[in-house]
Amino acid sequence: MSKNDEILVKVSHMTKKFGDLLVLNDISFDVRKGEFMCVVGPTGCGKTTFLNCLTKLGVYQLTSGEILINGEPVDLAKHNVSYIFQEYSAFPWQTVEENVAYGLKIKKWPKDKMEKQVNEMLAMVGLTEYRKYYPSQLSASMLQRVSIARAFATQPDLLLMDEPYGQLDNSLRYKLEDELIKLWQHTGTTVIFITHNIEEAVYLSERILVLTNKPTGIKKEIVNDLPRPRDVTDVAFNKLRDEVTDLIKWW
Ligand SMILES: Nc1ncnc2c1ncn2[C@@H]1O[C@H](COP(=O)(O)OP(=O)(O)O)[C@@H](O)[C@H]1O
Ligand SMILES: [Mg+2]
């Protein structure tokens, strides 16, 4: 799906320590524009830390190394980055449509353009008839759809997803994964998707970065060119899943 070989995110010698604890240990890799990259790694290896370092929030300055977006240090005023976390992030005091419009208001989209975009996003995730509902009135999968609609609404250059479906049951997860792939194909957004679910990584990604335990490095980078739509019962799918499973047996 990647349209070209242009690099959007360049991670060079990324190293992060918390006190004496070496978490990310000299990690380098690139993410191409439009690519869907999955990062898999054991709990505590620093996956969330990596996303936080990408945006340099609070204590999350790299100890050494750098992360560039479009060849420049990350600047959230300039680079349009969205996140979806595992915890539902919808504001409880706002309706579904207000939640989806949130980032657009911050970016001061004109009202008519904003309405059009909100309508389109709500339709894409099947929430049009729930637009006036509050988060407390929604199911788990609907809440994740709100997060997805909100994240895609601002047409981000880069979408960061941190184990967003970790707490959902399998059938919901499959549905949301299919919707996510549709949105990704439709928008061309670059996605970095973190998971510890191997099947999910093989289902979604174009490339899988397999991390080691702390101090964390890259165990292997795997190109995933299985045709879409993918089928979890397919022989080639299972072969790749087994290959990744073998890599992480010693977590
Ligand atoms: N703000 C912080 N201060 C100190 N240690 C931290 C902080 N954030 C994360 N860590 C530590 O860094 C390691 C990686 O954490 P995390 O990035 O949450 O892992 P993952 O997301 O892969 O499960 C853990 O050992 C965690 O305790
Ligand atoms: Mg985490």
Side-chain angles (χ1 to χ4, degrees):
M1 248 301 164
S2 299
K3 279 133 211 111
N4 47 47
D5 292 334
E6 223 178 304
I7 290 166
L8 182 72
V9 183
K10 187 164 192 62
V11 177
S12 308
H13 304 291
M14 171 172 72
T15 300
K16 180 63 184 172
K17 283 185 186 175
F18 292 106
D20 289 336
L21 179 69
L22 176 58
V23 178
L24 302 171
N25 184 21
D26 193 15
I27 295 176
S28 298
F29 64 94
D30 296 335
V31 186
R32 289 191 305 273
K33 223 164 245 184
E35 189 171 30
F36 198 121
M37 175 180 256
C38 282
V39 180
V40 298
T43 301
C45 78
K47 301 181 295 297
T48 299
T49 298
F50 159 54
L51 293 190
N52 286 330
C53 287
L54 216 163
T55 51
K56 296 191 273 187
L57 293 169
V59 297
Y60 294 97
Q61 300 279 344
L62 285 184
T63 307
S64 59
E66 64 177 3
I67 304 174
L68 301 178
I69 295 186
N70 275 329
E72 301 166 315
V74 183
D75 174 357
L76 293 181
K78 185 190 287 178
H79 303 121
N80 196 353
V81 181
S82 282
Y83 318 75
I84 300 177
F85 297 110
Q86 182 167 12
E87 304 78 35
Y88 308 125
S89 50
F91 298 129
W93 61 88
Q94 292 189 345
T95 61
V96 168
E97 63 181 3
E98 286 166 349
N99 268 286
V100 175
Y102 176 77
L104 303 177
K105 277 184 195 148
I106 287 181
K107 290 184 189 297
K108 299 194 165 59
W109 280 41
K111 197 157 181 283
D112 52 339
K113 203 176 155 209
M114 178 156 71
E115 271 170 19
K116 188 161 171 277
Q117 180 70 345
V118 169
N119 289 342
E120 195 177 310
M121 288 298 129
L122 290 173
M124 285 250 226
V125 298
L127 286 178
T128 303
E129 49 184 308
Y130 300 95
R131 59 190 308 149
K132 301 288 181 198
Y133 283 51
Y134 284 89
S136 62
Q137 301 170 289
L138 303 179
S139 68
S141 72
M142 290 157 92
L143 285 170
Q144 275 299 359
R145 290 189 170 104
V146 174
S147 301
I148 288 172
R150 187 169 70 183
F152 274 99
T154 57
Q155 301 173 328
D157 304 317
L158 178 62
L159 177 61
L160 307 174
M161 305 184 73
D162 193 359
E163 310 205 36
Y165 307 144
Q167 287 167 342
L168 301 177
D169 67 51
N170 280 341
S171 72
L172 284 183
R173 185 161 63 75
Y174 288 143
K175 272 187 213 148
L176 289 166
E177 285 169 2
D178 283 338
E179 283 175 11
L180 172 63
I181 290 299
K182 269 190 219 143
L183 278 164
W184 166 67
Q185 288 174 328
H186 180 76
T187 57
T189 296
T190 309
V191 182
I192 301 178
F193 188 106
I194 285 171
T195 178
H196 58 249
N197 184 324
I198 295 158
E199 182 178 278
E200 182 168 52
V202 174
Y203 192 72
L204 294 172
S205 70
E206 295 191 294
R207 202 148 47 101
I208 304 172
L209 205 61
V210 182
L211 301 179
T212 67
N213 258 311
K214 278 194 296 278
T216 303
I218 295 175
K219 181 135 198 186
K220 197 169 180 191
E221 232 182 279
I222 299 168
V223 173
N224 177 2
D225 51 15
L226 292 171
R228 298 181 193 269
R230 289 179 179 161
D231 176 358
V232 295
T233 64
D234 178 63
V235 175
F237 187 98
N238 281 286
K239 193 165 164 275
L240 185 55
R241 184 173 57 188
D242 291 347
E243 189 190 324
V244 181
T245 305
D246 278 341
L247 284 172
I248 64 163
K249 264 195 185 136
W250 305 109
W251 278 359

